Amino acid sequence: YPKLEKVIFRSIPENSARLNALLAGEIDLMDGVNPSDLEQIQGNPDLQTFERPSMNVGYLGFTVNRPPFDNKLVRQALHHAIDKEGIIEAFYGGLAEPAKNPLPPALEGYNDEIEPYPYDLEKAKELLVEAGYPDGFEMELWAMPVPRPYMPDGMKVAEVIQSSFAEIGVKAEIKSVDWGTYLEQAAKGEFDAYMLGWTGDNGDPDNFIYTLLDKDSIGSNNYSFYSNDELHDILIEAQTIPDQEQRNELYKKAQEIIHEDSPWAPLVHSTPLLAGKKNLKGLLPHPTGSDILTKVEFE
């Protein structure tokens, strides 16, 4: 039997407003803690924090059917111009690891042999020259208007990326719209480059790679409009094989193709934080973000 008589879910869109509600005793538990608020929460004897096991990715996507992002060298150049470690230090309070693949390391089939794109502005400039853009170009960089577990502050992360891009001659204008419109326009391929992410539904690599980057997913979750027939064949085969080891090998190959094509610059795999009252017991945050509260009680 559940230990609580009832549970009320409240929607409070802003992370900081949610924390204020917790501090004021209006709520008992909050999801989506800003890493910058961690110290304040840990210093409060009435509160405690919980870590959600990481099963997500935050990324910068390039819409590959819009020039110059239809050029792989341009996408690789921009990938080299992102300081993932610096972003994690500044905005995640260290509670994230740099991403090199579209799926998190905890999942089966994760390819750890892939060499990440190092933050290397000289290499980025060389690739732009090779791509035919020695003086860079202008672009729009769309920043997330809401905090998500994989992206606590989209606007600030966008500003860091913008200043790195400027150093290689790429002038990025940051833009944003409300969340519903953002997703709608992204699904139609209306952005040059955009920030998004994903939290896994079920722990299978298919739920990241096929859902987010297969040509079948264009118009839904493949906002980059990335289409690769070799990748598609691998992913369809992996859906039909029961043997997990064989599937893992196929997914490792899939990650090699994606790494080379660079339709995204995967940024981070974050460890999302929750905060609650000190006397709250029995909460085990679930990797998918769907928490089971049956055993939760107040001491």
Side-chain angles (χ1 to χ4, degrees), residues 195-211:
M195 289 158 67
L196 259 177
W198 182 256
T199 298
D201 296 318
N202 54 29
D204 194 276
D206 179 82
N207 180 242
F208 279 81
I209 305 180
Y210 177 80
T211 303

Side-chain angles (χ1 to χ4, degrees), residues 203-265:
D204 194 276
D206 179 82
N207 180 242
F208 279 81
I209 305 180
Y210 177 80
T211 303
L212 302 174
L213 286 163
D214 187 67
K215 64 179 184 180
D216 284 353
S217 305
I218 290 172
S220 58
N221 291 304
N222 178 351
Y223 301 106
S224 283
F225 280 62
Y226 172 61
S227 175
N228 181 305
D229 291 338
E230 186 193 357
L231 176 71
H232 176 73
D233 292 344
I234 288 171
L235 294 177
I236 296 300
E237 191 186 343
Q239 288 176 352
T240 60
I241 295 177
D243 183 293
Q244 191 60 42
E245 282 310 308
Q246 282 178 285
R247 294 184 73 227
N248 290 348
E249 287 314 306
L250 288 167
Y251 287 121
K252 284 178 181 173
K253 177 78 184 125
Q255 287 159 81
E256 285 167 22
I257 295 168
I258 292 162
H259 182 74
E260 172 63 25
D261 279 349
S262 194
W264 295 357

Side-chain angles (χ1 to χ4, degrees), residues 100-101 111-116 252 254-257 259:
K100 60 181 181 178
N101 289 320
N111 189 340
D112 205 20
E113 313 224 316
I114 281 176
E115 286 296 322
K252 284 178 181 173
Q255 287 159 81
E256 285 167 22
I257 295 168
H259 182 74

